[in-house]
Amino acid sequence: MAKTLRISCLLLAAFSTVADAQAPTVTFAPTSGVPTFAKREPVLRVVPGTIVETRTFSKPGDYYEPAGPGPWPGEVGPFYIEGATPNDTLVVKILRVRLNRDTAISAINPTGISGLAADGRTRMMNDPLPARRWVWQLDRQRNVGILDLPGSRSKRIEMPLSPMLGRVAVAPAGEESWGGLWPGNFGGNMDAAEVIGSGLETTADVTFQFDLVKGKTIRWPRIEDATHIMVAGSVRPLIDAFRIAHVELIEWLAADYGFDRLEAFQVVSQAGTARVANIVDPNYTVVAKFPKSLLPK
């Protein structure tokens, strides 16, 4: 029996640069990946407040190799946070994401996970798109991705990189097990944004800090950065993901920031923004955002 507890959905403090200088620090080198989000024996145990320096898992011949395609190497984890219970909220601060290779892979899969093409779940009249794989060059010094476009007029494109972790999760409830492509109320594959079915898939060194909010639960992943608070809703149809994200955001403003519920509905309608974060996974994801500048001091 796996010992990892399901905590009440994760709270992400996205790309925070603030960490306690006195916090304990652990270095973890992953040696394997797992294909599903599920309860299983933890690979690391830490106390709340611990900073973990680690990296995404990769092995020779896997998906990230330019000569591929190889198999997806899986996710790292789970980490067990001592003292956590299902009545608590897990706080994950992403302190640093640093790319550690010079290429990234993006691909079309004919059996598909793109909302713009036929896929394996919904029958359509058109034929599947052909398989195609692009190898991007990463200039880590300039923080740009570079792709040759032999069939296009410009022949080459450069764009700024915004490193992210596409998959962050807690163990799903009960005995549930979800494949690595799934997002849900447990977190999971919450890439933002994807349309083709693949981001620029690569590897990185990552620094986290874990903490707990004791005695408080949330239903869906909450995200913060320097400018916004956000909620990610992941489900099909897309309109229900939109509804979930906005209802949860309104209830967050009411519960934690002192807004009347209907007045929160009003200000989210006027000042909030929404992003369709992915239409490629088995569930679709919408992120509802509210500016921190409008929160009470």
Side-chain angles (χ1 to χ4, degrees):
M1 176 66 69
K3 297 180 180 178
T4 304
L5 294 172
R6 180 185 185 273
I7 311 304
S8 170
C9 234
L10 74 163
L11 173 67
L12 286 178
F15 299 100
S16 169
T17 59
V18 179
D20 183 355
Q22 305 302 315
T25 299
V26 174
T27 299
F28 177 77
T31 58
S32 62
V34 294
T36 59
F37 305 114
K39 293 193 299 183
R40 50 174 51 91
E41 290 296 325
V43 297
L44 179 69
R45 290 176 174 264
V46 298
V47 298
T50 300
I51 294 171
V52 178
E53 297 175 344
T54 186
R55 63 177 183 269
T56 55
F57 177 65
S58 180
K59 58 185 178 181
D62 68 13
Y63 182 89
Y64 303 114
E65 295 289 342
W72 188 258
E75 320 306 326
V76 175
F79 296 165
Y80 189 98
I81 313 303
E82 300 288 355
T85 78
N87 297 319
D88 304 329
T89 296
L90 175 65
V91 180
V92 182
K93 292 184 178 180
I94 305 173
L95 302 178
R96 186 183 189 192
V97 176
R98 183 173 62 86
L99 304 179
N100 58 18
R101 73 171 64 204
D102 295 324
T103 56
I105 305 300
S106 186
I108 293 175
N109 183 342
T111 59
I113 52 168
S114 173
L116 303 187
D119 64 26
R121 291 178 171 80
T122 303
R123 295 187 64 195
M124 298 186 186
M125 293 295 291
N126 60 295
D127 293 330
L129 290 175
R132 185 165 177 184
R133 200 164 183 265
W134 290 269
V135 178
W136 288 70
Q137 301 301 311
L138 305 181
D139 186 329
R140 290 183 279 166
Q141 295 299 317
R142 295 191 298 135
N143 196 43
V144 297
I146 305 163
L147 182 65
D148 291 330
L149 302 170
S152 301
R153 179 183 299 176
S154 61
K155 303 304 179 187
R156 183 180 174 94
I157 192 170
E158 293 189 6
M159 63 179 63
L161 298 171
S162 299
M164 66 173 181
L165 295 177
R167 302 182 184 187
V168 183
V170 294
E175 299 302 316
E176 293 178 359
S177 177
W178 296 86
L181 289 177
W182 285 83
N185 62 359
F186 55 90
N189 188 22
M190 301 183 294
D191 289 351
E194 276 186 16
V195 175
I196 200 170
S198 171
L200 301 192
E201 311 291 349
T202 190
T203 56
D205 299 326
V206 187
T207 302
F208 299 99
Q209 186 173 26
F210 297 97
D211 214 333
L212 295 173
V213 178
K214 296 294 293 181
K216 179 178 179 178
T217 61
I218 57 177
R219 292 187 179 93
W220 289 85
R222 295 180 177 182
I223 306 168
E224 293 188 38
D225 64 12
T227 60
H228 289 82
I229 63 171
M230 299 165 258
V231 177
S234 299
V235 73
R236 288 200 190 195
L238 185 62
I239 186 60
D240 282 354
F242 181 93
R243 290 166 174 152
I244 288 169
H246 284 83
V247 169
E248 293 290 325
L249 181 61
I250 290 165
E251 292 184 347
W252 188 4
L253 289 174
D256 287 11
Y257 293 101
F259 284 87
D260 171 83
R261 189 168 184 265
L262 289 183
E263 291 173 355
F265 188 10
Q266 170 60 209
V267 298
V268 165
S269 298
Q270 308 308 328
T273 54
R275 181 172 188 176
V276 178
N278 91 71
I279 55 164
V280 302
D281 295 325
N283 284 334
Y284 296 155
T285 301
V286 170
V287 176
K289 307 170 65 172
F290 190 80
K292 285 184 171 181
S293 63
L294 297 180
L295 296 176
K297 301 299 183 184

